[in-house]
Amino acid sequence: MPESPSKTGPETAGPGAVASPPSAEKTAARTEAPRVAAASLVGTTIEYYDFAVYGTASALVLGPAFFPSGNPTVSSLAAFLTFAAAFLSRPLGVILFGTIGDRLGRRQALVASLLLMGVATVGVGLLPTYETAGLLAPVLLVTLRLLQGLSMGGEWGGAVLLAAEHAPPGRRALYASIPQAGPSLGFLLSSAVILPTLHIAGRDGFAEWAWRIPFLLSTVLVVIGLWVRTAVSESPVFRDAAHRTAQAPAPAPESRFPLATLLKRYPGRLLLGTGAAIGGSAVYYLTIVYSLSYGPKQLGIPQNTMLTAASIGAAAGIAITLPVARLSDRIGRRPVMLTGAVGCVLWAVPMYASLSSRDAWLITGAYTVGLMLLALMFSPVAAFLPELFPARLRYTGASAAFILANTLGGGFAPLVATRLNSRWDSPLVLGFYTGGLCLLSLLCLLALPETRDHEFDT
């Protein structure tokens, strides 16, 4: 059986701890919950806009610009390798920002992660290409991708925590799910910039210079995001937990390193939580990133068709995110997520098989159903993963589970898919691969407990 969050230890109140700050402070913080959730959503949308812009640019132009080769598959593979590089640095981001978030505060970690992402994304837009700078160009590109990944390692956990820990009783999943719309909104925002740019500059103009525009526009978005995030208050749950820990006698040295405590006390929950989220990560990244390259290059599907299908599907997923989260507040996280996992297992093959038809309406319909099923898994997980861990380890624990799932299920998905399709040239391969990972998520969810009624202030 998975471990249950302990009620004792350095991360919770110990003997001699004094009372928490007055409940009036918690009440005031919860009245701020909608504004905090909105601030979390703005920041997450910007971070995922930056990430989506790179993913789309990888599929369209970055291979030839930074990794020229006579073989288009080799260029695409190299571009997707840099996409995966950011996932390799995400665990370091979990350690860095998880430590900041669990020891110094959620808000400080979120402001730092957003600033780092903005600097890295704008830097990509200013890079010289291989033709201009030779080998230095791909080296700089990979370096900036590693910084993007470092930032993403701290973004998700902090955003959902800040929203969830301000939430009124009985609405934790609802408020935590608001920043969950950020990845899809970020993709839609990136499409809203890239599609007109492609239309105005043309494919050749976009490949030559206009691909930089979406990256450089991140400057404006980051300034807005920083302004919004610095205006919100710190999590009341974090303040209470920090207050109790400060008053507890002689905290253990391990409490200074949340990741060490997490690995020692909750390894089972970390592994199962990672598995529970891995299938959804595969669905998202294969649909939003890989298929945008695979469809046009391997199957001859127009680029606009793939972008439109993915955008409409993402919009449908956003539309049901909040209702799904509210449902999980009423009936529990597991029933909703299990339904989504079963649906994704069954729908993965038909969804990617639709690509063989090359029919825009069929592909759009298949992607819409798939991304709505993904929302059943993705929306409640924002509350589910944090609820698996106690307050003083929650930033690190939730971030580590989600980021590991993203890295294993999403970051390497385009690479694995490229390799599989080089051997078996059929979109059915994508369906079997994705369905297998969703089945793993289903099994992990069955092994984990329901967390809806978990005491969140400890």
Side-chain angles (χ1 to χ4, degrees):
M1 289 293 293
E3 305 91 325
S4 297
S6 172
K7 298 290 183 182
T8 61
E11 69 275 8
T12 60
V18 300
S20 300
S23 60
E25 184 176 343
K26 291 182 184 178
T27 301
R30 282 166 178 156
T31 61
E32 192 188 9
R35 185 159 64 91
V36 172
S40 295
L41 173 61
V42 169
T44 305
T45 299
I46 293 169
E47 290 246 10
Y48 275 90
Y49 164 85
D50 292 346
F51 222 69
V53 162
Y54 187 91
T56 305
S58 293
L60 297 178
V61 298
L62 293 188
F66 288 89
F67 306 97
S69 168
N71 187 328
T73 300
V74 172
S75 291
S76 294
L77 191 58
F80 283 133
L81 274 170
T82 64
F83 182 80
F87 287 83
L88 293 176
S89 61
R90 281 188 179 193
L92 295 177
V94 171
I95 297 172
L96 173 62
F97 293 106
T99 301
I100 296 172
D102 279 330
R103 295 196 63 201
L104 303 179
R106 320 308 197 200
R107 191 181 68 164
Q108 292 188 49
L110 281 173
V111 169
S113 71
L114 182 60
L115 182 61
L116 179 60
M117 176 62 86
V119 170
T121 303
V122 173
V124 172
L126 296 173
L127 282 181
T129 62
Y130 185 90
E131 184 179 359
T132 304
L135 288 175
L136 180 62
V139 169
L140 290 175
L141 180 65
V142 172
T143 300
L144 291 173
R145 283 296 291 164
L146 291 173
L147 292 179
Q148 280 190 322
L150 195 69
S151 168
M152 288 297 291
E155 170 61 29
W156 183 86
V160 300
L161 276 189
L162 201 62
E165 291 181 343
H166 277 84
R171 299 199 169 192
R172 192 183 303 148
L174 176 65
Y175 280 84
S177 72
I178 292 175
Q180 280 294 78
S184 293
L185 282 174
F187 170 73
L188 290 176
L189 185 59
S190 72
S191 296
V193 173
I194 289 173
L195 283 173
T197 306
L198 263 171
H199 178 72
I200 294 170
R203 186 63 186 253
D204 291 340
F206 189 84
E208 185 177 348
W209 61 271
W211 64 268
R212 299 178 184 275
I213 293 174
F215 290 96
L216 298 178
L217 283 178
S218 181
T219 305
V220 178
L221 299 176
V222 169
V223 170
I224 294 172
L226 289 173
W227 174 69
V228 171
R229 280 196 167 169
T230 54
V232 301
S233 65
E234 182 55 81
S235 156
V237 175
F238 171 80
R239 287 200 301 265
D240 287 357
H243 181 72
R244 289 193 299 269
T245 302
Q247 296 298 324
E254 67 176 16
S255 66
R256 301 174 186 173
F257 304 100
L259 182 62
T261 308
L262 177 74
L263 294 175
K264 179 178 180 181
R265 298 191 177 193
Y266 307 102
R269 291 215 163 189
L270 177 60
L271 289 175
L272 288 172
T274 299
I278 199 169
S281 295
V283 173
Y284 180 83
Y285 283 102
L286 285 177
T287 304
I288 298 299
V289 176
Y290 178 75
S291 68
L292 298 185
S293 171
Y294 174 76
K297 292 181 178 178
Q298 302 297 120
L299 301 175
I301 302 171
Q303 190 72 61
N304 284 353
T305 296
M306 294 304 306
L307 281 170
T308 301
S311 297
I312 291 174
I318 292 171
I320 68 168
T321 292
L322 296 186
V324 165
R326 190 69 186 114
L327 180 63
S328 79
D329 275 329
R330 291 174 177 168
I331 68 173
R333 320 300 186 215
R334 289 175 78 249
V336 178
M337 294 177 69
L338 285 169
T339 301
V342 171
C344 286
V345 169
L346 297 176
W347 188 248
V349 171
M351 177 170 67
Y352 293 112
S354 71
L355 296 176
S356 296
S357 72
R358 298 174 177 81
D359 182 89
W361 291 102
L362 186 59
I363 295 170
T364 300
Y367 273 32
T368 298
V369 172
L371 291 174
M372 290 178 75
L373 289 170
L374 171 63
L376 295 179
M377 299 174 65
F378 199 59
S379 178
V381 82
F384 182 68
L385 292 181
E387 288 166 347
L388 292 174
F389 306 100
R392 292 297 286 166
L393 299 174
R394 192 167 290 142
Y395 199 125
T396 301
S399 295
F402 189 78
I403 294 306
L404 283 173
N406 260 230
T407 300
L408 299 174
F412 291 102
L415 290 175
V416 173
T418 300
R419 176 59 180 163
L420 290 174
N421 278 128
S422 69
R423 187 165 185 179
W424 298 285
D425 188 16
S426 169
L428 293 177
V429 173
L430 303 180
F432 287 118
Y433 171 56
T434 306
L437 291 180
C438 290
L439 179 60
L440 174 61
S441 290
L442 175 63
L443 297 175
C444 290
L445 284 168
L446 289 172
L448 285 165
E450 178 56 61
T451 61
R452 181 185 56 164
D453 299 322
H454 173 69
E455 185 65 34
F456 209 50
D457 287 350
T458 60

